[in-house]
Amino acid sequence: MSDDAPKDPLALGLGSLGGGAGFGSAFMTMSQIALRLLQDQFERIGYQILTAGVIAAVGVGGAYGWYRSFSLDSVWQRGVIAVLASVGALLIGFMAAPLDGFFGVAGMLVWLALNIAFGVAAARWAIKGMGKGEAGGGTGVR
C-alpha cells in the first residue's frame, strides 16, 4: 500500500472544466467592465473590447481545460472538456450583462470575484483528482 491518493478521473475532468469556465468567464466579465467604464467611447472601441473578451474567454477557458486535464488517458475526453469549458466561459461571462443592469459596475466586480473564486476552487478539485497513485482496481475499463 502506498500513501499516494489514487487518480480520480471524475474530479479531474469536472475540476478542469470548472476551472476553465471560471477563469474564461472572468476575462469575459473584465471586458464588459472595461466597456461599461469606457461607455462614452462605445462607437470607437466598443465592439473591439467585446470581441477581445469573447476571444479571451474561449481561448483561456479551452486552454485551461485542456492543460489541467493532461492526466486523463483519453485525448478525446480532454478535447470535450476543453470545448465545454470554452462554451461555459461564454455563458457564465455573458451573465454579467444583466448584473450590470441591476447593480451596475459594482455588481459586475462582485461577479468577477465570484468567477475567479469558482475557477480557483475547481482547479484545486482537479489537482486533488490527479492523485499520484494508480486508479482503483476493477472499477471500470481504462
Side-chain angles (χ1 to χ4, degrees):
M1 282 296 222
S2 71
D3 293 333
D4 295 332
K7 182 167 47 170
D8 184 4
L10 181 65
L12 180 58
L14 289 179
S16 301
L17 193 154
F23 293 132
S25 63
F27 277 89
M28 185 69 207
T29 303
M30 283 190 285
S31 73
Q32 292 178 46
I33 291 171
L35 182 64
R36 178 77 158 124
L37 294 176
L38 300 171
Q39 186 174 356
D40 56 337
Q41 300 175 11
F42 179 78
E43 293 297 324
R44 190 167 56 89
I45 61 170
Y47 297 113
Q48 289 88 1
I49 290 177
L50 286 178
T51 303
V54 168
I55 292 170
V58 170
V60 169
Y64 191 84
W66 178 266
Y67 167 74
R68 184 51 62 199
S69 63
F70 72 91
S71 293
L72 290 175
D73 297 331
S74 173
V75 175
W76 182 82
Q77 289 174 344
R78 290 180 68 192
V80 169
I81 288 169
V83 168
L84 289 177
S86 296
V87 171
L90 284 178
L91 293 176
I92 295 170
F94 276 126
M95 290 175 66
L99 291 173
D100 179 32
F102 290 119
F103 304 111
V105 175
M108 288 195 295
L109 287 172
V110 170
W111 188 247
L112 174 65
L114 288 173
N115 288 333
I116 293 171
F118 175 69
V120 168
R124 286 184 179 178
W125 190 28
I127 291 169
K128 185 179 176 184
M130 283 192 325
K132 298 293 182 198
E134 290 296 319
T139 59
V141 177
R142 270 192 121 182

